[in-house]
Amino acid sequence: MTTGTTTKTGAGAAGPRALARQRRRQSAVRFWKRYRTHRAGLVGLVGLALFALVALTAPLTVGTDVSSVTGAPGRPMESPSAEFWLGTDRFGRDLLGLLVWGSRVSLLVGLLAAALSVAIGTTVGVTAGHFKGAYATVLMRITDWFLVMPTLVLAIALATVLPRSLGTVVLAIGVTSWPTTARLVRAQTLAVESRPYIERAKALGGGHWHVMSRHVLPNVMPLVLAQTTLMISSSVLAEATLAFLGVSDPTVLSWGGLLQDAREAGAVSSGNWWYLVPPGIAIAVVALAFTLCGRAVESVLNPRLGVGR
């Protein structure tokens, strides 16, 4: 009897978990079936996969000493050739190797800055939409202040005051680009909070944390996911801008840093296009790929938007 009871209890406990896992798998399958109908989204996804592969395999393909100034393999400012496909920089380093290695920093900073921005915006948006009253009013006025201030100017000011490092760049981008996410998430939270099941959850004794974590957050996560993919492209561009303006860590190799080096070396006036064009194209292609993926995700999660395929 005891064994039968135990087995029943175990099956009953495992049943809801198995059902939840099955539903998640079915949801993921439905998402992929809809996503792959968006040709632009697939192109962006393939591009991101290639860039991620290049960044992850950089230590194996170009080595770890590619940025070393001493012992550079070529002469300064060589044009593209069979030996150096993208030419060399002002120190004689292989620009192709620098471009490949710089992808690691640019993509990492873009991902971390976007994650920080979306995390702040989601927290502010959900809490402001749930609690309302004076708390929400104060948060929204702070959000409005950040919205009217130029994001790039705030990021430059913050990066100038703090020590130059990758952490500072991530912090500068993340804490200045969250207001748009906060506004979107708050609007979605207000829409979710007006539904009848939220009132039933509160009537049954559900506290603030229970309502926000179990009912509100799962319903705003699709919006957060779409916003994250769009924010990464903006973060990559912001990192490149900060590095180009010289407020990033000069010892760290990134695509924006390569553009800054090219400017300092006078590549524009001397006509050394191979120094400027490859990093600029890489930044533009990555930003475009993330944008295509973000638009496709947004269209799948909200078909009423009617985003073109």
Short mmCIF file of all heavy atoms in Angstrom, two decimals, residues 203-238:
data_model
loop_
_atom_site.label_atom_id
_atom_site.label_comp_id
_atom_site.label_asym_id
_atom_site.label_seq_id
_atom_site.Cartn_x
_atom_site.Cartn_y
_atom_site.Cartn_z
N ALA A 203 -7.34 38.04 -5.39
CA ALA A 203 -8.40 37.64 -4.47
C ALA A 203 -8.06 36.35 -3.73
O ALA A 203 -8.47 36.14 -2.58
CB ALA A 203 -9.72 37.49 -5.22
N LEU A 204 -7.29 35.47 -4.38
CA LEU A 204 -6.89 34.21 -3.75
C LEU A 204 -5.68 34.35 -2.85
O LEU A 204 -5.17 33.35 -2.34
CB LEU A 204 -6.61 33.16 -4.84
CG LEU A 204 -7.84 32.68 -5.62
CD1 LEU A 204 -7.40 31.79 -6.78
CD2 LEU A 204 -8.79 31.93 -4.70
N GLY A 205 -5.22 35.57 -2.68
CA GLY A 205 -4.11 35.82 -1.75
C GLY A 205 -2.75 35.98 -2.39
O GLY A 205 -1.73 36.01 -1.69
N GLY A 206 -2.68 36.09 -3.70
CA GLY A 206 -1.40 36.28 -4.36
C GLY A 206 -0.81 37.65 -4.06
O GLY A 206 -1.46 38.67 -4.23
N GLY A 207 0.43 37.66 -3.59
CA GLY A 207 1.10 38.92 -3.26
C GLY A 207 1.67 39.60 -4.50
O GLY A 207 1.53 39.12 -5.63
N HIS A 208 2.35 40.72 -4.26
CA HIS A 208 2.92 41.48 -5.37
C HIS A 208 3.94 40.65 -6.15
O HIS A 208 3.92 40.63 -7.39
CB HIS A 208 3.58 42.76 -4.84
CG HIS A 208 2.61 43.72 -4.21
ND1 HIS A 208 1.56 44.28 -4.91
CD2 HIS A 208 2.53 44.21 -2.95
CE1 HIS A 208 0.87 45.08 -4.10
NE2 HIS A 208 1.45 45.04 -2.90
N TRP A 209 4.84 40.00 -5.44
CA TRP A 209 5.87 39.22 -6.11
C TRP A 209 5.27 38.07 -6.91
O TRP A 209 5.70 37.78 -8.03
CB TRP A 209 6.88 38.70 -5.10
CG TRP A 209 7.90 37.77 -5.70
CD1 TRP A 209 8.00 36.42 -5.53
CD2 TRP A 209 8.96 38.14 -6.58
NE1 TRP A 209 9.04 35.93 -6.26
CE2 TRP A 209 9.66 36.95 -6.91
CE3 TRP A 209 9.38 39.36 -7.13
CZ2 TRP A 209 10.76 36.96 -7.76
CZ3 TRP A 209 10.47 39.34 -7.98
CH2 TRP A 209 11.15 38.16 -8.29
N HIS A 210 4.26 37.41 -6.34
CA HIS A 210 3.61 36.30 -7.04
C HIS A 210 2.95 36.78 -8.33
O HIS A 210 3.11 36.14 -9.38
CB HIS A 210 2.56 35.66 -6.12
CG HIS A 210 1.76 34.59 -6.80
ND1 HIS A 210 2.20 33.29 -6.91
CD2 HIS A 210 0.54 34.63 -7.42
CE1 HIS A 210 1.29 32.57 -7.55
NE2 HIS A 210 0.28 33.36 -7.87
N VAL A 211 2.24 37.88 -8.26
CA VAL A 211 1.55 38.39 -9.44
C VAL A 211 2.55 38.81 -10.52
O VAL A 211 2.39 38.50 -11.71
CB VAL A 211 0.63 39.56 -9.06
CG1 VAL A 211 0.06 40.24 -10.30
CG2 VAL A 211 -0.50 39.08 -8.16
N MET A 212 3.61 39.52 -10.11
CA MET A 212 4.57 40.01 -11.09
C MET A 212 5.39 38.89 -11.71
O MET A 212 5.64 38.88 -12.92
CB MET A 212 5.50 41.05 -10.44
CG MET A 212 4.84 42.39 -10.16
SD MET A 212 6.02 43.66 -9.63
CE MET A 212 6.56 42.99 -8.05
N SER A 213 5.82 37.92 -10.90
CA SER A 213 6.70 36.86 -11.40
C SER A 213 5.95 35.74 -12.11
O SER A 213 6.44 35.17 -13.09
CB SER A 213 7.52 36.28 -10.25
OG SER A 213 6.67 35.70 -9.27
N ARG A 214 4.73 35.41 -11.64
CA ARG A 214 4.00 34.28 -12.21
C ARG A 214 3.02 34.67 -13.31
O ARG A 214 2.69 33.84 -14.15
CB ARG A 214 3.24 33.56 -11.09
CG ARG A 214 4.10 32.93 -10.03
CD ARG A 214 4.96 31.81 -10.61
NE ARG A 214 5.74 31.14 -9.59
CZ ARG A 214 5.31 30.11 -8.87
NH1 ARG A 214 4.08 29.65 -9.07
NH2 ARG A 214 6.08 29.54 -7.97
N HIS A 215 2.55 35.90 -13.30
CA HIS A 215 1.50 36.28 -14.26
C HIS A 215 1.94 37.41 -15.20
O HIS A 215 1.71 37.32 -16.42
CB HIS A 215 0.24 36.71 -13.51
CG HIS A 215 -0.35 35.63 -12.65
ND1 HIS A 215 -0.91 34.50 -13.19
CD2 HIS A 215 -0.43 35.51 -11.30
CE1 HIS A 215 -1.34 33.71 -12.20
NE2 HIS A 215 -1.06 34.30 -11.05
N VAL A 216 2.56 38.45 -14.66
CA VAL A 216 2.91 39.60 -15.49
C VAL A 216 4.16 39.32 -16.33
O VAL A 216 4.16 39.49 -17.56
CB VAL A 216 3.11 40.85 -14.63
CG1 VAL A 216 3.57 42.02 -15.50
CG2 VAL A 216 1.81 41.22 -13.91
N LEU A 217 5.22 38.89 -15.67
CA LEU A 217 6.50 38.72 -16.38
C LEU A 217 6.42 37.73 -17.54
O LEU A 217 6.94 38.02 -18.63
CB LEU A 217 7.59 38.31 -15.39
CG LEU A 217 9.03 38.36 -15.91
CD1 LEU A 217 9.37 39.76 -16.38
CD2 LEU A 217 10.01 37.92 -14.82
N PRO A 218 5.80 36.54 -17.37
CA PRO A 218 5.70 35.63 -18.53
C PRO A 218 4.96 36.24 -19.72
O PRO A 218 5.26 35.91 -20.87
CB PRO A 218 4.93 34.43 -17.96
CG PRO A 218 5.21 34.45 -16.50
CD PRO A 218 5.28 35.90 -16.14
N ASN A 219 4.03 37.14 -19.47
CA ASN A 219 3.27 37.75 -20.56
C ASN A 219 4.01 38.89 -21.24
O ASN A 219 3.67 39.26 -22.37
CB ASN A 219 1.92 38.26 -20.03
CG ASN A 219 0.91 37.14 -19.84
OD1 ASN A 219 0.31 36.65 -20.78
ND2 ASN A 219 0.75 36.71 -18.60
N VAL A 220 5.00 39.48 -20.56
CA VAL A 220 5.77 40.55 -21.18
C VAL A 220 7.09 40.04 -21.75
O VAL A 220 7.78 40.79 -22.45
CB VAL A 220 6.05 41.71 -20.19
CG1 VAL A 220 4.76 42.27 -19.64
CG2 VAL A 220 6.97 41.26 -19.07
N MET A 221 7.45 38.78 -21.48
CA MET A 221 8.72 38.25 -21.96
C MET A 221 8.85 38.24 -23.48
O MET A 221 9.94 38.49 -24.00
CB MET A 221 8.95 36.84 -21.39
CG MET A 221 9.45 36.83 -19.96
SD MET A 221 10.92 37.87 -19.71
CE MET A 221 12.12 37.01 -20.72
N PRO A 222 7.80 37.91 -24.24
CA PRO A 222 7.95 38.02 -25.71
C PRO A 222 8.37 39.41 -26.17
O PRO A 222 9.23 39.55 -27.04
CB PRO A 222 6.55 37.65 -26.23
CG PRO A 222 5.99 36.77 -25.17
CD PRO A 222 6.50 37.32 -23.88
N LEU A 223 7.77 40.43 -25.57
CA LEU A 223 8.17 41.80 -25.91
C LEU A 223 9.61 42.06 -25.50
O LEU A 223 10.37 42.70 -26.23
CB LEU A 223 7.23 42.78 -25.21
CG LEU A 223 7.56 44.27 -25.36
CD1 LEU A 223 7.44 44.69 -26.82
CD2 LEU A 223 6.64 45.10 -24.49
N VAL A 224 10.00 41.57 -24.33
CA VAL A 224 11.37 41.76 -23.85
C VAL A 224 12.36 41.07 -24.78
O VAL A 224 13.43 41.62 -25.09
CB VAL A 224 11.51 41.21 -22.41
CG1 VAL A 224 12.96 41.20 -21.97
CG2 VAL A 224 10.67 42.05 -21.45
N LEU A 225 12.02 39.86 -25.25
CA LEU A 225 12.91 39.13 -26.16
C LEU A 225 13.11 39.89 -27.46
O LEU A 225 14.25 40.04 -27.93
CB LEU A 225 12.33 37.75 -26.44
CG LEU A 225 13.08 36.87 -27.45
CD1 LEU A 225 14.49 36.60 -26.96
CD2 LEU A 225 12.34 35.57 -27.69
N ALA A 226 12.03 40.38 -28.03
CA ALA A 226 12.14 41.14 -29.27
C ALA A 226 12.94 42.43 -29.06
O ALA A 226 13.78 42.80 -29.89
CB ALA A 226 10.75 41.47 -29.81
N GLN A 227 12.72 43.09 -27.94
CA GLN A 227 13.43 44.33 -27.64
C GLN A 227 14.92 44.06 -27.42
O GLN A 227 15.76 44.90 -27.77
CB GLN A 227 12.81 44.99 -26.41
CG GLN A 227 13.37 46.36 -26.07
CD GLN A 227 13.06 47.41 -27.13
OE1 GLN A 227 12.21 47.20 -27.99
NE2 GLN A 227 13.74 48.53 -27.07
N THR A 228 15.25 42.91 -26.85
CA THR A 228 16.66 42.58 -26.60
C THR A 228 17.43 42.45 -27.91
O THR A 228 18.54 42.98 -28.05
CB THR A 228 16.76 41.27 -25.80
OG1 THR A 228 16.09 41.43 -24.55
CG2 THR A 228 18.22 40.92 -25.53
N THR A 229 16.86 41.73 -28.87
CA THR A 229 17.54 41.55 -30.14
C THR A 229 17.74 42.89 -30.86
O THR A 229 18.76 43.10 -31.54
CB THR A 229 16.75 40.59 -31.05
OG1 THR A 229 15.41 41.07 -31.19
CG2 THR A 229 16.71 39.20 -30.45
N LEU A 230 16.77 43.78 -30.73
CA LEU A 230 16.92 45.10 -31.34
C LEU A 230 17.93 45.96 -30.60
O LEU A 230 18.65 46.76 -31.22
CB LEU A 230 15.56 45.81 -31.39
CG LEU A 230 14.50 45.16 -32.29
CD1 LEU A 230 13.16 45.87 -32.12
CD2 LEU A 230 14.93 45.19 -33.75
N MET A 231 18.00 45.80 -29.28
CA MET A 231 18.92 46.61 -28.48
C MET A 231 20.37 46.21 -28.70
O MET A 231 21.28 47.04 -28.56
CB MET A 231 18.59 46.46 -26.99
CG MET A 231 17.46 47.36 -26.49
SD MET A 231 17.82 49.12 -26.71
CE MET A 231 19.39 49.24 -25.84
N ILE A 232 20.62 44.95 -29.06
CA ILE A 232 22.00 44.51 -29.26
C ILE A 232 22.64 45.28 -30.41
O ILE A 232 23.80 45.71 -30.32
CB ILE A 232 22.07 42.99 -29.50
CG1 ILE A 232 21.63 42.23 -28.26
CG2 ILE A 232 23.48 42.56 -29.89
CD1 ILE A 232 21.53 40.74 -28.44
N SER A 233 21.90 45.46 -31.50
CA SER A 233 22.45 46.21 -32.64
C SER A 233 22.77 47.65 -32.24
O SER A 233 23.83 48.18 -32.61
CB SER A 233 21.47 46.19 -33.81
OG SER A 233 20.24 46.82 -33.45
N SER A 234 21.90 48.26 -31.46
CA SER A 234 22.17 49.62 -30.99
C SER A 234 23.38 49.66 -30.08
O SER A 234 24.18 50.61 -30.12
CB SER A 234 20.94 50.17 -30.25
OG SER A 234 19.81 50.19 -31.08
N SER A 235 23.55 48.64 -29.25
CA SER A 235 24.68 48.59 -28.33
C SER A 235 26.00 48.40 -29.08
O SER A 235 27.03 48.98 -28.70
CB SER A 235 24.48 47.45 -27.32
OG SER A 235 23.31 47.66 -26.55
N VAL A 236 25.99 47.58 -30.13
CA VAL A 236 27.20 47.40 -30.93
C VAL A 236 27.60 48.72 -31.58
O VAL A 236 28.79 49.10 -31.59
CB VAL A 236 26.98 46.31 -32.00
CG1 VAL A 236 28.13 46.27 -32.99
CG2 VAL A 236 26.82 44.95 -31.34
N LEU A 237 26.63 49.45 -32.11
CA LEU A 237 26.93 50.75 -32.71
C LEU A 237 27.41 51.75 -31.67
O LEU A 237 28.34 52.54 -31.93
CB LEU A 237 25.67 51.29 -33.40
CG LEU A 237 25.21 50.54 -34.66
CD1 LEU A 237 23.87 51.06 -35.13
CD2 LEU A 237 26.24 50.68 -35.76
N ALA A 238 26.80 51.72 -30.47
CA ALA A 238 27.22 52.64 -29.41
C ALA A 238 28.64 52.34 -28.96
O ALA A 238 29.43 53.26 -28.72
CB ALA A 238 26.24 52.54 -28.23
#
